[in-house]
Amino acid sequence: MSQMSSMEKTAESTALTASTLAQSAPITLAERLARPELLDLVPYQSARRLGGQGDIWINANESPFNNVDTAALDLSKLNRYPECQPPKLISAYSDYSGVSASKIVASRGADEAIELLIRAFCIPGVDSIATFGPTYGMYAISANTFNVGVKALNLSAEYGLPSSYAEDVRGAKLVFICNPNNPTGTVIDKAIIEQAINALPDALVVIDEAYIEFCPEYSVADLLESYPNLVVLRTLSKAFALAGARCGFMLANEAVVEIIMRVIAPYPVPLPVSEIATQAISSAGVARMKHQVRELNQQGKRLAAALNLYCEQWGGRVLTPYGNYVLAEFDDVTKVAALLQGSGVVARAYKDPRLAKAIRFSFTSKADTDHLVALFESQRVE
């Protein structure tokens, strides 16, 4: 083999250098200007981003009901900016939640409340939050987008708080606990949550109660008067069937609320959203929500029973559901995924190693549940 000339060596070296730069250097103006840590950030894979094909969509924990009475909405002032915190909305949620209006902040879903807490209380590049996984991914992603550290701890084998959590989260400004937990559907007893609040007096303990209407006895909102470090997140997306409206609430003591109001957007609650949300949490709306929750829980029991029968024969387990969804772990998860896809069912699977064999099923209408129950019963071998 002939030796390369010095010119050929130089050309090859230049080509390698250019190739290396092309692979490592930003190639667009936006990438060159962006904060470096964002270039490697993997965005949250919401149900709509993941997409899918099918006739039965049970991958986003949405309600199958649509309750809005559009004819009753007052949209006559859309030419005016809305109130930052619409008084009627705040008052209605205070009546519903039993929490005083001075302790309530309305936001664009609970997701905005998560970001507001991180922006208000965490110094980028210095502070951190703590989470217990597997859990809702937006806690960590929101922290990452603000260059705030994440102490990502694991829930126990039975999805409870780990025994050493108080020591493990030391130094975190915010400690997020999802209860009921998404995606497992499991709950942590109220007494244990209160122990955690007591054990972490120098942090804000944020209890995400997005699904609490499905198990209201586990709410800790009534503890707000006793603990200045407690924050509770709520949403109208689930039980109130308003996922498309994007309306949530932060419940916290007045000192926390005052700080949050310094960083919140000028108009976080659009007028149509305020009108729709106030309608939903009226006395009639709350009564309707409770009726629909009972119906969804009934369909969830039917679905969980069918999944249990399948797992008894083919291997796996079904976690007891406390939200509007049930998580099942299958020994043959690939087969189940193909079965669902072939039947036009879009459910939620996960990349988390602890959930590699799991699929989450949202509770849905009776007709959809009939289809799902029949689908799993068809796999039984007598």
Side-chain angles (χ1 to χ4, degrees):
M1 181 180 295
S2 61
Q3 293 183 341
M4 286 192 293
S5 67
S6 59
M7 185 177 294
E8 288 173 328
K9 290 180 180 178
T10 301
E12 181 183 61
S13 175
T14 301
L16 288 172
T17 302
S19 174
T20 301
L21 286 173
Q23 293 175 13
S24 62
I27 58 174
T28 68
L29 175 63
E31 288 175 319
R32 293 202 303 273
L33 296 177
R35 287 164 34 209
E37 65 270 15
L38 295 185
L39 298 180
D40 295 324
L41 178 68
V42 178
Y44 179 69
Q45 296 302 301
S46 67
R48 290 299 171 266
R49 275 189 168 181
L50 288 172
Q53 293 183 338
D55 301 314
I56 297 178
W57 287 72
I58 52 170
N59 65 334
N61 297 342
E62 300 157 322
S63 172
F65 304 107
N66 194 337
N67 303 317
V68 179
D69 181 1
T70 55
L73 301 178
D74 180 8
L75 304 181
S76 61
K77 296 181 180 179
L78 284 176
N79 60 313
R80 303 296 185 186
Y81 286 112
E83 297 272 4
C84 177
Q85 294 291 291
K88 288 184 179 179
L89 175 63
I90 299 298
S91 176
Y93 201 78
S94 176
D95 291 342
Y96 164 66
S97 65
V99 175
S100 63
S102 62
K103 291 181 167 62
I104 300 174
V105 177
S107 58
R108 288 168 287 203
D111 290 331
E112 184 186 30
I114 294 167
E115 289 201 351
L116 288 170
L117 286 165
I118 293 170
R119 284 172 52 204
F121 293 102
C122 294
I123 302 172
V126 176
D127 289 329
S128 63
I129 70 167
T131 65
F132 299 92
T135 192
Y136 185 43
M138 280 307 298
Y139 311 134
I141 290 176
S142 293
N144 289 335
T145 61
F146 291 109
N147 196 23
V148 168
V150 179
K151 296 177 183 287
L153 309 176
N154 289 322
L155 292 169
S156 68
E158 295 304 317
Y159 301 113
L161 291 179
S163 59
S164 60
Y165 72 85
E167 180 64 28
D168 294 340
V169 306
R170 188 178 300 277
K173 284 276 192 78
L174 305 169
V175 179
F176 287 92
I177 302 174
C178 191
N179 203 46
N181 187 46
N182 178 23
T184 61
T186 50
V187 288
I188 298 171
D189 286 341
K190 186 173 179 176
I192 295 176
I193 295 289
E194 188 168 9
Q195 289 174 11
I197 299 167
N198 275 305
L200 303 169
D202 297 321
L204 290 180
V205 180
V206 185
I207 310 302
D208 187 345
E209 294 187 347
Y211 301 92
I212 202 63
E213 280 78 15
F214 294 90
C215 56
E217 66 275 16
Y218 285 92
S219 177
V220 294
D222 63 318
L223 300 180
L224 285 164
E225 292 288 347
S226 302
Y227 296 102
N229 64 325
L230 172 62
V231 178
V232 176
L233 303 183
R234 295 281 188 84
T235 183
L236 301 186
S237 294
K238 311 304 180 183
F240 284 95
L242 290 181
R246 311 306 301 126
C247 185
F249 299 91
M250 178 192 305
L251 315 180
N253 72 77
E254 287 81 358
V256 171
V257 168
E258 196 275 331
I259 296 295
I260 291 299
M261 293 305 296
R262 296 187 184 199
V263 300
I264 199 169
Y267 313 108
V269 186
L271 177 62
V273 172
S274 177
E275 285 283 320
I276 292 168
T278 303
Q279 182 186 105
I281 53 179
S282 65
S283 57
V286 170
R288 179 179 55 214
M289 176 274 291
K290 291 180 178 178
H291 173 77
Q292 291 176 349
V293 163
R294 288 193 294 270
E295 170 63 18
L296 287 171
N297 281 336
Q298 183 60 37
Q299 300 310 320
K301 289 178 181 178
R302 294 180 59 216
L303 176 57
L307 292 170
N308 268 307
L309 288 174
Y310 180 92
C311 289
E312 285 176 7
Q313 184 162 78
W314 298 106
R317 69 166 178 159
V318 181
L319 300 184
T320 301
Y322 287 87
N324 67 332
Y325 52 96
V326 56
L327 188 80
E329 299 169 349
F330 303 98
D331 288 354
D332 55 352
V333 66
T334 302
K335 174 187 172 183
V336 174
L339 177 69
L340 294 171
Q341 184 176 12
S343 188
V345 177
V346 183
R348 187 69 181 257
Y350 296 90
K351 294 181 179 179
D352 187 307
R354 290 186 66 180
L355 302 177
K357 293 186 176 182
I359 297 177
R360 191 192 67 189
F361 303 80
S362 304
F363 295 175
T364 184
S365 65
K366 182 179 184 302
D368 285 352
T369 306
D370 288 345
H371 180 91
L372 290 163
V373 169
L375 180 63
F376 281 99
E377 286 182 346
S378 71
Q379 303 303 302
R380 295 184 64 184
V381 176
E382 299 297 340

